[in-house]
Amino acid sequence: MKTRNFTAIVYREDDMYVAECPEVGTVDQGETIEQAVANLREATKLYLEEFSLPEVTPRYITNIEVSYA
């Protein structure tokens, strides 16, 4: 069994949390952050068992400051 780390981006949308894995393209949701991440983990696992891993480069997450009118 292979193990690999992926990025999980989580945000709130209406009354649910949405979790995305940008390297694979999987998305899932949950009522809590923990549930959304667990659901994303399962969705990503199922995807990778069915399809080959797309060629990906490491993702870096940072904050940017933008001034606007």
Side-chain angles (χ1 to χ4, degrees):
M1 179 167 281
K2 299 177 187 176
T3 301
R4 183 161 171 187
N5 288 314
F6 294 102
T7 304
I9 300 171
V10 182
Y11 56 92
R12 187 151 178 98
E13 191 170 280
D14 297 324
D15 60 341
M16 299 293 283
Y17 288 95
V18 177
E20 299 181 20
C21 177
E23 293 94 341
V24 179
T26 48
V27 179
D28 215 313
Q29 63 184 12
E31 292 181 1
T32 65
I33 292 172
E34 294 79 10
Q35 185 181 41
V37 171
N39 292 344
L40 177 65
R41 183 179 293 113
E42 181 66 17
T44 303
K45 176 182 180 280
L46 292 171
Y47 178 90
L48 293 173
E49 287 175 352
E50 185 70 25
F51 302 101
S52 62
L53 178 64
E55 189 63 36
V56 295
T57 58
R59 308 290 178 155
Y60 300 98
I61 306 224
T62 188
N63 292 313
I64 61 170
E65 182 177 324
V66 178
S67 299
Y68 59 96

Short mmCIF file of all heavy atoms in Angstrom, two decimals:
data_model
loop_
_atom_site.label_atom_id
_atom_site.label_comp_id
_atom_site.label_asym_id
_atom_site.label_seq_id
_atom_site.Cartn_x
_atom_site.Cartn_y
_atom_site.Cartn_z
N MET A 1 0.85 -1.18 0.00
CA MET A 1 0.00 0.00 0.00
C MET A 1 0.89 1.24 0.00
O MET A 1 1.83 1.33 0.77
CB MET A 1 -0.91 0.00 1.21
CG MET A 1 -1.80 1.22 1.26
SD MET A 1 -3.13 1.12 2.44
CE MET A 1 -4.26 0.10 1.54
N LYS A 2 0.57 2.21 -0.86
CA LYS A 2 1.33 3.45 -0.96
C LYS A 2 0.73 4.50 -0.04
O LYS A 2 -0.47 4.52 0.21
CB LYS A 2 1.29 3.97 -2.39
CG LYS A 2 1.90 3.03 -3.39
CD LYS A 2 1.75 3.59 -4.78
CE LYS A 2 2.21 2.56 -5.80
NZ LYS A 2 2.00 3.01 -7.17
N THR A 3 1.59 5.37 0.46
CA THR A 3 1.15 6.49 1.29
C THR A 3 1.80 7.75 0.76
O THR A 3 2.98 7.75 0.41
CB THR A 3 1.57 6.29 2.76
OG1 THR A 3 0.99 5.07 3.23
CG2 THR A 3 1.12 7.44 3.62
N ARG A 4 1.00 8.81 0.68
CA ARG A 4 1.51 10.08 0.18
C ARG A 4 0.73 11.21 0.83
O ARG A 4 -0.45 11.06 1.15
CB ARG A 4 1.33 10.13 -1.33
CG ARG A 4 1.90 11.38 -1.93
CD ARG A 4 2.14 11.20 -3.38
NE ARG A 4 2.49 12.50 -3.92
CZ ARG A 4 2.65 12.75 -5.18
NH1 ARG A 4 2.50 11.79 -6.06
NH2 ARG A 4 2.95 13.94 -5.59
N ASN A 5 1.38 12.34 1.03
CA ASN A 5 0.72 13.52 1.60
C ASN A 5 0.19 14.41 0.48
O ASN A 5 0.88 14.61 -0.52
CB ASN A 5 1.69 14.33 2.46
CG ASN A 5 2.01 13.62 3.74
OD1 ASN A 5 1.12 13.11 4.42
ND2 ASN A 5 3.27 13.57 4.09
N PHE A 6 -1.01 14.92 0.68
CA PHE A 6 -1.64 15.85 -0.26
C PHE A 6 -2.11 17.08 0.50
O PHE A 6 -2.26 17.06 1.71
CB PHE A 6 -2.84 15.20 -0.95
CG PHE A 6 -2.47 14.05 -1.84
CD1 PHE A 6 -2.66 12.75 -1.42
CD2 PHE A 6 -1.94 14.27 -3.10
CE1 PHE A 6 -2.33 11.68 -2.23
CE2 PHE A 6 -1.60 13.21 -3.93
CZ PHE A 6 -1.79 11.92 -3.50
N THR A 7 -2.40 18.14 -0.25
CA THR A 7 -2.93 19.37 0.33
C THR A 7 -4.43 19.24 0.50
O THR A 7 -5.11 18.73 -0.39
CB THR A 7 -2.62 20.55 -0.62
OG1 THR A 7 -1.21 20.60 -0.85
CG2 THR A 7 -3.09 21.87 -0.03
N ALA A 8 -4.95 19.72 1.61
CA ALA A 8 -6.39 19.81 1.83
C ALA A 8 -6.72 21.27 2.10
O ALA A 8 -6.20 21.86 3.05
CB ALA A 8 -6.83 18.94 2.98
N ILE A 9 -7.56 21.85 1.27
CA ILE A 9 -8.03 23.22 1.46
C ILE A 9 -9.47 23.13 1.96
O ILE A 9 -10.31 22.48 1.33
CB ILE A 9 -7.97 24.01 0.14
CG1 ILE A 9 -6.52 24.05 -0.37
CG2 ILE A 9 -8.54 25.42 0.34
CD1 ILE A 9 -6.39 24.61 -1.77
N VAL A 10 -9.73 23.75 3.09
CA VAL A 10 -11.06 23.66 3.71
C VAL A 10 -11.64 25.06 3.86
O VAL A 10 -10.95 25.98 4.30
CB VAL A 10 -10.98 22.97 5.08
CG1 VAL A 10 -12.37 22.83 5.70
CG2 VAL A 10 -10.29 21.63 4.98
N TYR A 11 -12.90 25.21 3.48
CA TYR A 11 -13.58 26.48 3.65
C TYR A 11 -15.06 26.23 3.93
O TYR A 11 -15.58 25.17 3.65
CB TYR A 11 -13.40 27.38 2.41
CG TYR A 11 -13.84 26.75 1.11
CD1 TYR A 11 -15.13 26.93 0.64
CD2 TYR A 11 -12.96 25.97 0.36
CE1 TYR A 11 -15.54 26.35 -0.56
CE2 TYR A 11 -13.35 25.40 -0.83
CZ TYR A 11 -14.64 25.59 -1.29
OH TYR A 11 -15.04 25.01 -2.47
N ARG A 12 -15.69 27.25 4.50
CA ARG A 12 -17.10 27.13 4.85
C ARG A 12 -17.94 27.66 3.69
O ARG A 12 -17.65 28.70 3.12
CB ARG A 12 -17.40 27.93 6.11
CG ARG A 12 -18.82 27.71 6.60
CD ARG A 12 -18.86 27.90 8.11
NE ARG A 12 -20.21 27.74 8.59
CZ ARG A 12 -20.69 26.62 9.12
NH1 ARG A 12 -19.90 25.58 9.22
NH2 ARG A 12 -21.92 26.54 9.54
N GLU A 13 -18.97 26.91 3.36
CA GLU A 13 -19.91 27.31 2.31
C GLU A 13 -21.31 27.03 2.83
O GLU A 13 -21.68 25.87 3.03
CB GLU A 13 -19.62 26.53 1.03
CG GLU A 13 -20.35 27.04 -0.18
CD GLU A 13 -19.85 26.39 -1.45
OE1 GLU A 13 -18.80 26.81 -1.96
OE2 GLU A 13 -20.54 25.46 -1.92
N ASP A 14 -22.07 28.10 3.03
CA ASP A 14 -23.39 28.00 3.65
C ASP A 14 -23.26 27.31 5.01
O ASP A 14 -22.52 27.77 5.85
CB ASP A 14 -24.39 27.29 2.73
CG ASP A 14 -24.61 28.06 1.43
OD1 ASP A 14 -24.61 29.30 1.48
OD2 ASP A 14 -24.76 27.42 0.38
N ASP A 15 -23.93 26.18 5.22
CA ASP A 15 -23.89 25.51 6.53
C ASP A 15 -22.99 24.28 6.53
O ASP A 15 -23.06 23.46 7.44
CB ASP A 15 -25.30 25.14 6.98
CG ASP A 15 -25.99 24.19 6.01
OD1 ASP A 15 -25.56 24.09 4.84
OD2 ASP A 15 -26.97 23.54 6.42
N MET A 16 -22.14 24.13 5.51
CA MET A 16 -21.24 22.97 5.42
C MET A 16 -19.80 23.44 5.23
O MET A 16 -19.54 24.56 4.81
CB MET A 16 -21.63 22.10 4.21
CG MET A 16 -23.02 21.53 4.26
SD MET A 16 -23.25 20.32 5.57
CE MET A 16 -22.46 18.90 4.86
N TYR A 17 -18.87 22.54 5.56
CA TYR A 17 -17.45 22.76 5.26
C TYR A 17 -17.12 21.97 4.00
O TYR A 17 -17.53 20.82 3.86
CB TYR A 17 -16.56 22.31 6.41
CG TYR A 17 -16.64 23.23 7.59
CD1 TYR A 17 -17.51 22.97 8.65
CD2 TYR A 17 -15.86 24.38 7.65
CE1 TYR A 17 -17.60 23.83 9.73
CE2 TYR A 17 -15.93 25.24 8.74
CZ TYR A 17 -16.81 24.96 9.77
OH TYR A 17 -16.89 25.82 10.83
N VAL A 18 -16.41 22.60 3.10
CA VAL A 18 -15.99 21.96 1.86
C VAL A 18 -14.49 21.75 1.93
O VAL A 18 -13.74 22.64 2.35
CB VAL A 18 -16.34 22.85 0.63
CG1 VAL A 18 -15.84 22.21 -0.65
CG2 VAL A 18 -17.84 23.09 0.57
N ALA A 19 -14.03 20.57 1.55
CA ALA A 19 -12.61 20.23 1.53
C ALA A 19 -12.22 19.84 0.12
O ALA A 19 -12.91 19.05 -0.52
CB ALA A 19 -12.32 19.10 2.51
N GLU A 20 -11.10 20.40 -0.36
CA GLU A 20 -10.61 20.13 -1.71
C GLU A 20 -9.18 19.64 -1.66
O GLU A 20 -8.38 20.12 -0.86
CB GLU A 20 -10.64 21.39 -2.57
CG GLU A 20 -11.98 22.00 -2.77
CD GLU A 20 -11.92 23.23 -3.66
OE1 GLU A 20 -10.93 23.39 -4.41
OE2 GLU A 20 -12.87 24.02 -3.62
N CYS A 21 -8.85 18.71 -2.54
CA CYS A 21 -7.48 18.26 -2.73
C CYS A 21 -7.06 18.71 -4.13
O CYS A 21 -7.42 18.07 -5.12
CB CYS A 21 -7.38 16.74 -2.60
SG CYS A 21 -5.71 16.12 -2.91
N PRO A 22 -6.32 19.82 -4.25
CA PRO A 22 -6.01 20.36 -5.58
C PRO A 22 -5.09 19.47 -6.42
O PRO A 22 -5.19 19.50 -7.64
CB PRO A 22 -5.34 21.71 -5.27
CG PRO A 22 -4.86 21.60 -3.88
CD PRO A 22 -5.79 20.66 -3.18
N GLU A 23 -4.25 18.67 -5.80
CA GLU A 23 -3.36 17.82 -6.58
C GLU A 23 -4.12 16.74 -7.34
O GLU A 23 -3.73 16.36 -8.44
CB GLU A 23 -2.31 17.13 -5.68
CG GLU A 23 -1.31 18.06 -5.06
CD GLU A 23 -1.70 18.51 -3.66
OE1 GLU A 23 -2.89 18.41 -3.30
OE2 GLU A 23 -0.83 18.96 -2.93
N VAL A 24 -5.18 16.22 -6.75
CA VAL A 24 -5.93 15.12 -7.34
C VAL A 24 -7.22 15.63 -7.98
O VAL A 24 -7.70 15.07 -8.97
CB VAL A 24 -6.22 14.04 -6.29
CG1 VAL A 24 -7.01 12.88 -6.87
CG2 VAL A 24 -4.92 13.52 -5.68
N GLY A 25 -7.80 16.69 -7.43
CA GLY A 25 -9.04 17.23 -7.95
C GLY A 25 -10.27 16.73 -7.23
O GLY A 25 -11.39 16.97 -7.68
N THR A 26 -10.09 16.05 -6.10
CA THR A 26 -11.23 15.55 -5.34
C THR A 26 -11.78 16.64 -4.42
O THR A 26 -11.04 17.51 -3.96
CB THR A 26 -10.84 14.32 -4.53
OG1 THR A 26 -9.62 14.58 -3.83
CG2 THR A 26 -10.65 13.10 -5.41
N VAL A 27 -13.08 16.57 -4.18
CA VAL A 27 -13.78 17.52 -3.32
C VAL A 27 -14.81 16.75 -2.52
O VAL A 27 -15.45 15.84 -3.03
CB VAL A 27 -14.50 18.61 -4.16
CG1 VAL A 27 -15.24 19.58 -3.26
CG2 VAL A 27 -13.53 19.34 -5.06
N ASP A 28 -14.98 17.11 -1.25
CA ASP A 28 -16.05 16.52 -0.43
C ASP A 28 -16.46 17.55 0.60
O ASP A 28 -15.88 18.64 0.67
CB ASP A 28 -15.59 15.22 0.22
CG ASP A 28 -16.73 14.20 0.31
OD1 ASP A 28 -17.83 14.59 0.74
OD2 ASP A 28 -16.52 13.04 -0.05
N GLN A 29 -17.43 17.21 1.42
CA GLN A 29 -17.94 18.15 2.41
C GLN A 29 -18.32 17.44 3.69
O GLN A 29 -18.38 16.21 3.74
CB GLN A 29 -19.14 18.90 1.86
CG GLN A 29 -20.33 18.01 1.55
CD GLN A 29 -21.47 18.78 0.91
OE1 GLN A 29 -21.31 19.92 0.49
NE2 GLN A 29 -22.64 18.15 0.85
N GLY A 30 -18.58 18.23 4.73
CA GLY A 30 -19.02 17.69 6.00
C GLY A 30 -19.58 18.78 6.88
O GLY A 30 -19.39 19.97 6.60
N GLU A 31 -20.25 18.39 7.94
CA GLU A 31 -20.82 19.36 8.87
C GLU A 31 -19.77 20.02 9.75
O GLU A 31 -20.00 21.08 10.30
CB GLU A 31 -21.90 18.69 9.71
CG GLU A 31 -23.11 18.28 8.91
CD GLU A 31 -24.19 17.64 9.75
OE1 GLU A 31 -24.01 17.52 10.98
OE2 GLU A 31 -25.23 17.25 9.17
N THR A 32 -18.61 19.36 9.91
CA THR A 32 -17.49 19.92 10.67
C THR A 32 -16.24 19.87 9.79
O THR A 32 -16.20 19.15 8.78
CB THR A 32 -17.22 19.13 11.96
OG1 THR A 32 -16.78 17.80 11.59
CG2 THR A 32 -18.46 19.04 12.85
N ILE A 33 -15.21 20.60 10.20
CA ILE A 33 -13.95 20.55 9.47
C ILE A 33 -13.39 19.14 9.48
O ILE A 33 -12.96 18.62 8.45
CB ILE A 33 -12.93 21.54 10.08
CG1 ILE A 33 -13.40 22.98 9.84
CG2 ILE A 33 -11.54 21.32 9.51
CD1 ILE A 33 -12.58 24.03 10.55
N GLU A 34 -13.44 18.49 10.64
CA GLU A 34 -12.90 17.14 10.76
C GLU A 34 -13.64 16.16 9.85
O GLU A 34 -13.03 15.31 9.21
CB GLU A 34 -12.97 16.67 12.21
CG GLU A 34 -12.07 17.44 13.16
CD GLU A 34 -12.64 18.79 13.59
OE1 GLU A 34 -13.83 19.09 13.31
OE2 GLU A 34 -11.88 19.58 14.18
N GLN A 35 -14.96 16.30 9.79
CA GLN A 35 -15.76 15.42 8.94
C GLN A 35 -15.47 15.69 7.47
O GLN A 35 -15.37 14.75 6.67
CB GLN A 35 -17.24 15.62 9.24
CG GLN A 35 -18.14 14.66 8.49
CD GLN A 35 -19.60 14.90 8.78
OE1 GLN A 35 -20.04 16.05 8.85
NE2 GLN A 35 -20.35 13.83 8.97
N ALA A 36 -15.33 16.95 7.09
CA ALA A 36 -15.03 17.28 5.70
C ALA A 36 -13.67 16.71 5.28
O ALA A 36 -13.54 16.14 4.19
CB ALA A 36 -15.05 18.80 5.51
N VAL A 37 -12.68 16.81 6.15
CA VAL A 37 -11.35 16.27 5.85
C VAL A 37 -11.39 14.75 5.78
O VAL A 37 -10.79 14.14 4.89
CB VAL A 37 -10.30 16.78 6.87
CG1 VAL A 37 -8.98 16.06 6.70
CG2 VAL A 37 -10.11 18.28 6.73
N ALA A 38 -12.10 14.12 6.70
CA ALA A 38 -12.22 12.65 6.67
C ALA A 38 -12.92 12.19 5.39
O ALA A 38 -12.49 11.21 4.76
CB ALA A 38 -12.98 12.16 7.91
N ASN A 39 -13.97 12.91 5.00
CA ASN A 39 -14.67 12.57 3.76
C ASN A 39 -13.78 12.78 2.55
O ASN A 39 -13.81 11.98 1.60
CB ASN A 39 -15.95 13.38 3.64
CG ASN A 39 -16.99 13.01 4.67
OD1 ASN A 39 -16.90 11.96 5.30
ND2 ASN A 39 -17.97 13.87 4.86
N LEU A 40 -12.98 13.84 2.56
CA LEU A 40 -12.04 14.10 1.47
C LEU A 40 -10.99 13.00 1.39
O LEU A 40 -10.64 12.53 0.31
CB LEU A 40 -11.37 15.46 1.64
CG LEU A 40 -10.32 15.80 0.59
CD1 LEU A 40 -10.96 15.93 -0.79
CD2 LEU A 40 -9.59 17.08 0.98
N ARG A 41 -10.50 12.57 2.55
CA ARG A 41 -9.51 11.49 2.59
C ARG A 41 -10.08 10.22 1.94
O ARG A 41 -9.43 9.58 1.12
CB ARG A 41 -9.08 11.22 4.03
CG ARG A 41 -8.01 10.16 4.17
CD ARG A 41 -7.60 9.95 5.62
NE ARG A 41 -6.91 11.12 6.14
CZ ARG A 41 -7.40 11.91 7.10
NH1 ARG A 41 -8.56 11.67 7.66
NH2 ARG A 41 -6.70 12.95 7.52
N GLU A 42 -11.31 9.89 2.27
CA GLU A 42 -11.95 8.70 1.72
C GLU A 42 -12.19 8.86 0.22
O GLU A 42 -11.94 7.93 -0.56
CB GLU A 42 -13.27 8.43 2.45
CG GLU A 42 -14.00 7.20 1.96
CD GLU A 42 -13.28 5.89 2.23
OE1 GLU A 42 -12.36 5.85 3.08
OE2 GLU A 42 -13.64 4.88 1.60
N ALA A 43 -12.67 10.03 -0.20
CA ALA A 43 -12.92 10.27 -1.63
C ALA A 43 -11.62 10.19 -2.43
O ALA A 43 -11.58 9.61 -3.52
CB ALA A 43 -13.57 11.63 -1.82
N THR A 44 -10.55 10.72 -1.87
CA THR A 44 -9.25 10.70 -2.55
C THR A 44 -8.72 9.28 -2.62
O THR A 44 -8.19 8.86 -3.66
CB THR A 44 -8.27 11.64 -1.84
OG1 THR A 44 -8.83 12.96 -1.80
CG2 THR A 44 -6.93 11.69 -2.55
N LYS A 45 -8.86 8.53 -1.55
CA LYS A 45 -8.43 7.12 -1.54
C LYS A 45 -9.17 6.33 -2.61
O LYS A 45 -8.56 5.59 -3.39
CB LYS A 45 -8.69 6.52 -0.16
CG LYS A 45 -8.37 5.05 -0.04
CD LYS A 45 -8.71 4.56 1.37
CE LYS A 45 -8.42 3.11 1.57
NZ LYS A 45 -9.44 2.24 1.04
N LEU A 46 -10.49 6.49 -2.67
CA LEU A 46 -11.28 5.78 -3.67
C LEU A 46 -10.89 6.19 -5.09
O LEU A 46 -10.80 5.34 -5.98
CB LEU A 46 -12.77 6.02 -3.43
CG LEU A 46 -13.34 5.40 -2.15
CD1 LEU A 46 -14.76 5.88 -1.91
CD2 LEU A 46 -13.26 3.89 -2.20
N TYR A 47 -10.64 7.46 -5.29
CA TYR A 47 -10.23 7.94 -6.61
C TYR A 47 -8.91 7.30 -7.02
O TYR A 47 -8.77 6.80 -8.13
CB TYR A 47 -10.10 9.47 -6.60
CG TYR A 47 -9.63 10.02 -7.92
CD1 TYR A 47 -10.53 10.37 -8.91
CD2 TYR A 47 -8.27 10.17 -8.19
CE1 TYR A 47 -10.11 10.86 -10.13
CE2 TYR A 47 -7.83 10.66 -9.41
CZ TYR A 47 -8.75 11.00 -10.37
OH TYR A 47 -8.32 11.48 -11.58
N LEU A 48 -7.94 7.31 -6.11
CA LEU A 48 -6.60 6.78 -6.42
C LEU A 48 -6.62 5.26 -6.62
O LEU A 48 -5.76 4.73 -7.32
CB LEU A 48 -5.59 7.18 -5.34
CG LEU A 48 -5.29 8.68 -5.29
CD1 LEU A 48 -4.42 8.99 -4.08
CD2 LEU A 48 -4.64 9.15 -6.57
N GLU A 49 -7.56 4.57 -6.01
CA GLU A 49 -7.68 3.12 -6.23
C GLU A 49 -8.23 2.82 -7.62
O GLU A 49 -7.97 1.77 -8.18
CB GLU A 49 -8.58 2.50 -5.16
CG GLU A 49 -7.91 2.43 -3.81
CD GLU A 49 -8.83 1.92 -2.71
OE1 GLU A 49 -10.04 1.76 -2.95
OE2 GLU A 49 -8.33 1.71 -1.59
N GLU A 50 -8.96 3.77 -8.20
CA GLU A 50 -9.58 3.58 -9.52
C GLU A 50 -8.75 4.16 -10.66
O GLU A 50 -8.68 3.61 -11.75
CB GLU A 50 -10.97 4.21 -9.52
CG GLU A 50 -11.76 3.99 -10.77
CD GLU A 50 -12.22 2.55 -10.95
OE1 GLU A 50 -12.35 1.82 -9.94
OE2 GLU A 50 -12.45 2.15 -12.11
N PHE A 51 -8.11 5.31 -10.41
CA PHE A 51 -7.38 6.03 -11.45
C PHE A 51 -5.93 6.22 -11.01
O PHE A 51 -5.63 6.27 -9.82
CB PHE A 51 -8.01 7.39 -11.71
CG PHE A 51 -9.45 7.31 -12.11
CD1 PHE A 51 -10.45 7.57 -11.18
CD2 PHE A 51 -9.82 6.95 -13.39
CE1 PHE A 51 -11.79 7.49 -11.54
CE2 PHE A 51 -11.15 6.86 -13.76
CZ PHE A 51 -12.14 7.14 -12.83
N SER A 52 -5.04 6.40 -11.99
CA SER A 52 -3.64 6.66 -11.65
C SER A 52 -3.49 8.10 -11.18
O SER A 52 -4.27 8.98 -11.53
CB SER A 52 -2.74 6.40 -12.86
OG SER A 52 -3.08 7.27 -13.92
N LEU A 53 -2.47 8.30 -10.37
CA LEU A 53 -2.21 9.62 -9.82
C LEU A 53 -1.74 10.55 -10.93
O LEU A 53 -0.79 10.24 -11.65
CB LEU A 53 -1.14 9.53 -8.72
CG LEU A 53 -0.71 10.82 -8.07
CD1 LEU A 53 -1.90 11.45 -7.33
CD2 LEU A 53 0.42 10.58 -7.11
N PRO A 54 -2.40 11.69 -11.09
CA PRO A 54 -1.93 12.63 -12.11
C PRO A 54 -0.55 13.17 -11.74
O PRO A 54 -0.18 13.19 -10.57
CB PRO A 54 -2.97 13.75 -12.07
CG PRO A 54 -3.85 13.49 -10.92
CD PRO A 54 -3.55 12.15 -10.37
N GLU A 55 0.22 13.54 -12.74
CA GLU A 55 1.54 14.13 -12.49
C GLU A 55 1.34 15.45 -11.77
O GLU A 55 0.66 16.35 -12.27
CB GLU A 55 2.28 14.35 -13.81
CG GLU A 55 3.72 14.75 -13.63
CD GLU A 55 4.56 13.68 -12.95
OE1 GLU A 55 4.33 12.48 -13.19
OE2 GLU A 55 5.45 14.05 -12.17
N VAL A 56 1.90 15.56 -10.57
CA VAL A 56 1.71 16.78 -9.77
C VAL A 56 3.04 17.30 -9.28
O VAL A 56 4.01 16.55 -9.13
CB VAL A 56 0.78 16.53 -8.56
CG1 VAL A 56 -0.61 16.18 -9.00
CG2 VAL A 56 1.34 15.47 -7.64
N THR A 57 3.09 18.59 -9.06
CA THR A 57 4.24 19.22 -8.44
C THR A 57 3.80 19.66 -7.05
O THR A 57 2.59 19.84 -6.80
CB THR A 57 4.72 20.43 -9.25
OG1 THR A 57 3.63 21.36 -9.38
CG2 THR A 57 5.19 20.01 -10.64
N PRO A 58 4.73 19.84 -6.13
CA PRO A 58 4.35 20.25 -4.78
C PRO A 58 3.57 21.57 -4.79
O PRO A 58 3.84 22.45 -5.60
CB PRO A 58 5.69 20.42 -4.06
CG PRO A 58 6.66 19.62 -4.86
CD PRO A 58 6.16 19.66 -6.27
N ARG A 59 2.60 21.68 -3.92
CA ARG A 59 1.81 22.90 -3.76
C ARG A 59 2.28 23.62 -2.51
O ARG A 59 2.55 22.99 -1.49
CB ARG A 59 0.32 22.59 -3.63
CG ARG A 59 -0.24 21.71 -4.69
CD ARG A 59 -0.30 22.42 -6.01
NE ARG A 59 -0.81 21.48 -7.01
CZ ARG A 59 -1.42 21.85 -8.10
NH1 ARG A 59 -1.58 23.10 -8.37
NH2 ARG A 59 -1.84 20.94 -8.94
N TYR A 60 2.36 24.91 -2.60
CA TYR A 60 2.74 25.73 -1.45
C TYR A 60 1.60 26.70 -1.16
O TYR A 60 1.12 27.37 -2.06
CB TYR A 60 4.03 26.49 -1.73
CG TYR A 60 5.17 25.55 -2.04
CD1 TYR A 60 5.52 25.28 -3.35
CD2 TYR A 60 5.85 24.91 -1.01
CE1 TYR A 60 6.54 24.39 -3.64
CE2 TYR A 60 6.88 24.02 -1.30
CZ TYR A 60 7.21 23.77 -2.61
OH TYR A 60 8.21 22.88 -2.89
N ILE A 61 1.20 26.75 0.08
CA ILE A 61 0.10 27.62 0.47
C ILE A 61 0.66 28.74 1.32
O ILE A 61 1.42 28.50 2.26
CB ILE A 61 -0.96 26.82 1.25
CG1 ILE A 61 -1.37 25.63 0.45
CG2 ILE A 61 -2.08 27.72 1.72
CD1 ILE A 61 -2.79 25.31 0.36
N THR A 62 0.28 29.95 0.97
CA THR A 62 0.73 31.11 1.72
C THR A 62 -0.39 32.14 1.70
O THR A 62 -1.41 31.95 1.05
CB THR A 62 2.03 31.69 1.11
OG1 THR A 62 2.52 32.71 1.97
CG2 THR A 62 1.79 32.25 -0.27
N ASN A 63 -0.21 33.22 2.41
CA ASN A 63 -1.16 34.33 2.41
C ASN A 63 -0.58 35.48 1.61
O ASN A 63 0.64 35.67 1.60
CB ASN A 63 -1.44 34.81 3.84
CG ASN A 63 -2.19 33.77 4.63
OD1 ASN A 63 -3.16 33.21 4.16
ND2 ASN A 63 -1.74 33.50 5.84
N ILE A 64 -1.43 36.24 0.96
CA ILE A 64 -0.99 37.44 0.28
C ILE A 64 -1.83 38.61 0.78
O ILE A 64 -2.97 38.43 1.19
CB ILE A 64 -1.10 37.33 -1.25
CG1 ILE A 64 -2.55 37.09 -1.68
CG2 ILE A 64 -0.19 36.23 -1.79
CD1 ILE A 64 -2.77 37.21 -3.17
N GLU A 65 -1.25 39.77 0.78
CA GLU A 65 -1.97 40.98 1.15
C GLU A 65 -2.23 41.78 -0.11
O GLU A 65 -1.33 42.00 -0.90
CB GLU A 65 -1.14 41.81 2.13
CG GLU A 65 -1.83 43.07 2.61
CD GLU A 65 -1.01 43.81 3.62
OE1 GLU A 65 -0.32 43.17 4.43
OE2 GLU A 65 -1.05 45.05 3.59
N VAL A 66 -3.47 42.20 -0.30
CA VAL A 66 -3.86 42.95 -1.49
C VAL A 66 -4.60 44.20 -1.06
O VAL A 66 -5.53 44.14 -0.26
CB VAL A 66 -4.78 42.09 -2.41
CG1 VAL A 66 -5.22 42.88 -3.61
CG2 VAL A 66 -4.08 40.81 -2.81
N SER A 67 -4.18 45.35 -1.57
CA SER A 67 -4.88 46.61 -1.33
C SER A 67 -5.75 46.91 -2.53
O SER A 67 -5.32 46.76 -3.66
CB SER A 67 -3.88 47.75 -1.13
OG SER A 67 -3.07 47.49 0.00
N TYR A 68 -6.98 47.30 -2.28
CA TYR A 68 -7.88 47.63 -3.37
C TYR A 68 -8.88 48.69 -2.93
O TYR A 68 -9.06 48.92 -1.74
CB TYR A 68 -8.62 46.37 -3.87
CG TYR A 68 -9.46 45.68 -2.82
CD1 TYR A 68 -10.81 45.94 -2.71
CD2 TYR A 68 -8.88 44.77 -1.94
CE1 TYR A 68 -11.58 45.32 -1.74
CE2 TYR A 68 -9.65 44.14 -0.97
CZ TYR A 68 -10.98 44.42 -0.88
OH TYR A 68 -11.75 43.80 0.08
N ALA A 69 -9.48 49.34 -3.90
CA ALA A 69 -10.42 50.44 -3.60
C ALA A 69 -11.82 49.91 -3.50
O ALA A 69 -12.22 48.96 -4.07
CB ALA A 69 -10.35 51.49 -4.69
#
